[in-house]
Amino acid sequence: MKPNTSMRQPKRSNFARRPSRNVNRPRRPQGPQKIILFNKPYNVLTQFTGEPGDQTLADFIPVRDVYPAGRLDKDSEGLLVLTNDGILQARLTQPSSKQPKTYWVQVEGEPSEDALNELRHGVTLKDGPTLPAQIERMTEPGIWPRNPPIRERKNIPTTWLAITLKEGRNRQVRRMTAHIGHPTLRLIRYRMADWTVDDLAPGEWREVPL
C-alpha cells in the first residue's frame, strides 16, 4: 500500500490577525501639542535632512519632534507650519479639508483680466483641472529682499498677485501662471489657514501659544 504523499492544507484560524486599520491614521501627540511658524528662506529644503551643502530646517529650528504640514519648494519662501500633531497636520494638508493658502506671487509681464479669470475659474494642467482660485492684483509688498535677487529682464514689467488656493499640488502656482504665459519670478506663502508670516524675518520662527 503506497503512503499518502498529499499535503493537507492547514485550517485557517478564525483568530488570524488582520491588518490594523489604524496604521496610517494621523495621531494626536503623546505630549503637549506644538505648533511652530517658520519663515522659510529661499534655497532652504522643507525637511530636516539633506545632502552635504544643503540648508535644511535643522539649520534654523532646534525644536524636536515637529514636522512640516505641507511643503514649500526649495525656490519658494514664506510661511511653513510645523507641528507634532498628526491630526492637525492632516487637516492642513489633505485636499478634502480645503484649507486656504495665500501666496504672494511676482510674475513676469502684466496679465490681462481675461488671463486672470482663467485662473479664477480653473485651468487644466497636465495632472487635471484646478479648483477655482481667488486671484487679486496687489501692490508690491514691503517685504525682505530675496537673496539672490530675482532675474528681471529689462523693459519687461512685473506684476504682484495674491493667489489663494484650496488645494496643493506640486509646484501648482508656478504651473498655473506659466499656463497663462506669465512665469513666476518669486513666490512667497503669506497665509496658511489662520496663520500668517507677519512679524517673522527670513529664518525666524516662533511657537504658537496654546
Side-chain angles (χ1 to χ4, degrees), residues 119-185:
L119 301 182
R120 291 180 180 122
H121 295 123
V123 294
T124 300
L125 305 177
K126 287 184 178 179
D127 53 357
T130 63
L131 293 176
Q134 182 179 336
I135 314 286
E136 301 293 339
R137 297 179 192 270
M138 61 182 291
T139 57
E140 181 175 351
I143 52 173
W144 58 92
R146 203 188 80 170
N147 184 23
I150 65 168
R151 294 181 180 179
E152 294 187 63
R153 294 196 287 176
K154 291 182 179 180
N155 303 321
I156 297 182
T158 66
T159 302
W160 281 90
L161 303 172
I163 299 180
T164 300
L165 305 179
K166 291 188 176 180
E167 57 181 337
R169 306 184 200 175
N170 183 41
R171 299 181 74 82
Q172 180 174 346
V173 171
R174 296 178 188 277
R175 291 190 291 141
M176 287 171 62
T177 67
H179 182 86
I180 61 169
H182 296 275
T184 291
L185 302 174

Side-chain angles (χ1 to χ4, degrees), residues 64-136:
R64 299 185 61 182
D65 301 324
V66 293
Y67 303 94
R71 302 183 67 83
L72 271 178
D73 298 325
K74 187 176 181 181
D75 52 356
S76 299
E77 310 161 68
L79 180 64
L80 189 68
V81 179
L82 301 96
T83 182
N84 63 343
D85 186 336
I87 292 178
L88 174 62
Q89 189 179 41
R91 181 166 62 84
L92 291 173
T93 57
Q94 288 179 351
S96 58
S97 67
K98 296 185 177 180
Q99 289 288 334
K101 306 173 188 69
T102 299
Y103 301 86
W104 289 348
V105 187
Q106 186 179 15
V107 300
E108 187 175 84
E110 297 178 327
S112 67
E113 275 303 301
D114 287 343
L116 296 182
N117 281 333
E118 285 188 55
L119 301 182
R120 291 180 180 122
H121 295 123
V123 294
T124 300
L125 305 177
K126 287 184 178 179
D127 53 357
T130 63
L131 293 176
Q134 182 179 336
I135 314 286
E136 301 293 339

Side-chain angles (χ1 to χ4, degrees), residues 9-18:
Q9 295 295 325
K11 292 183 179 180
R12 190 169 182 174
S13 169
N14 291 330
F15 300 99
R17 182 175 294 177
R18 296 180 180 179

